[in-house]
Amino acid sequence: MHKETIAIHAGNHTDEGSHAVIQPIVMSTTFVRDDDGSTPKGFIYGRADNPNRAQLEKVICALEGGADAAAFSSGNAAGMTIFQSLKPGTHIIAPDDMYHGLNSQLKAMFNGILEFDFVDLTDASKLESYIKPNTGLLWIETPSNPQLKISDIKRLTRIAHENNIKVVCDNTFASPICQLPLSLGADIVMYSATKYFGGHSDITGGALVTAKNDGWWQNIRNIQQLGGAVPAPMDCYFLVRSIKTLPYRMRGHVHNAHLLAEFLEQHPKVENVMYPGLPSHPQYELAKEQMLAFGGMLSFNVKGGTENAIKVIQSVRLFTRATSLGGVESLIEHRAAVEPPDTKTPWNLLRVSVGLEHIDDLIADISQALDEI
Ligand SMILES: *Cc1c(COP(=O)(O)O)cnc(C)c1O
């Protein structure tokens, strides 16, 4: 079936008691056993599992075409679970343009437990040179944040697998509508559900989807249930609700982002635009090959340095000055200012999460803001 259909139907159970069409929210933290002590529906205790969480995991898994999925209380909790599942001493190869919250997590929480190198993964031919005898995980993030760099999932995965290295791909920027890393060879896909899955800037959540239900995955499931970084039933309910419109929302995000990128690219006060759907993107051909659509995120460098970049974000009226992404409202951010001091992000870079407002209104707003320079 197609994604539009899966997003609406996968995992939904009509309520047997009330015949409600939409699966109700189950707040109960514990579940009744039968006389013989069995648990007929498989639910025992709310930390371990819950009907709304099970539904959320089913629909995410189905959209991704995976073997199983696990939901978490945030994207960072999902990422942390991967790192916790590795044997101490394992070496991780991660991108230099990695989501800064997970980069910081590795440095702050796994220093001395795991080894990690942050390298440029846009040139897959260099991967071999980063591999050590104890390398056990390759972390891919594409398109990357905030520079929209593209890494070749298929090629990187092939090299990693030849060297017995597992591959996890942070697919938050793309969503399963724009890219399916499992179909390109990745072992596990990671999501911040706070972004496009939630889509309305009002839920924090995360997810992992696996290609294989193997021993590694069972260890991950164990960490989810014993560690307890799980989403509440209400959050799962609202995520399921939001995911029903994900394919249509993504279409709007992609449409608007593409037109905004084209507008910015020809603007005399813009130095360059980073959007994988522009032929000027250095990895446009690769993006066309591995992505199903180019996504709703873009960054651009303003001519004249930091001062002008700040002037632009001070002058926008419709765009909201805030971090995060994937909501229906457009957000703009002076990215270097929110990243750690050693950031490689250029100081004249503005990152935009293109929302679902009318494109003419978005262009008119950014245009008047650029006129202020
Ligand atoms: C937001 C984000 C995360 C972290 O997710 P949270 O839900 O904020 O914990 C990880 N990776 C990427 C690419 C993100 O944008």
Side-chain angles (χ1 to χ4, degrees), residues 73-78 98-102 139 141 143-145 170-173 190-195 203-206 324-325 335 351:
S73 51
S74 71
N76 263 26
M98 186 184 196
Y99 171 68
H100 79 95
L102 282 169
W139 188 275
E141 183 183 333
S144 73
N145 176 24
D170 183 342
N171 203 38
T172 300
F173 263 41
M190 185 234 123
Y191 284 106
S192 167
T194 315
K195 315 295 168 54
I203 312 167
T204 302
S324 197
L325 61 120
R335 193 65 196 167
R351 191 187 82 170

Side-chain angles (χ1 to χ4, degrees), residues 60-74:
I60 292 177
C61 182
L63 279 176
E64 201 69 39
D68 199 9
F72 294 87
S73 51
S74 71

Side-chain angles (χ1 to χ4, degrees), residues 114-158:
L114 299 169
E115 288 175 34
F116 28 84
D117 282 314
F118 301 100
V119 301
D120 180 8
L121 289 177
T122 55
D123 183 357
S125 68
K126 290 208 187 115
L127 179 61
E128 297 266 12
S129 67
Y130 305 127
I131 296 173
K132 297 187 193 175
N134 59 336
T135 304
L137 179 72
L138 170 66
W139 188 275
I140 300 176
E141 183 183 333
T142 180
S144 73
N145 176 24
Q147 300 198 45
L148 286 295
K149 291 190 197 174
I150 307 292
S151 307
D152 189 334
I153 301 175
K154 212 185 247 178
R155 207 158 148 223
L156 287 166
T157 300
R158 185 161 21 85

Side-chain angles (χ1 to χ4, degrees), residues 2-23:
H2 296 85
K3 283 176 188 167
E4 289 82 353
T5 313
I6 293 169
I8 292 167
H9 291 285
N12 187 62
H13 292 289
T14 307
D15 182 45
E16 288 167 22
S18 67
H19 283 214
V21 169
I22 297 300
Q23 188 174 317

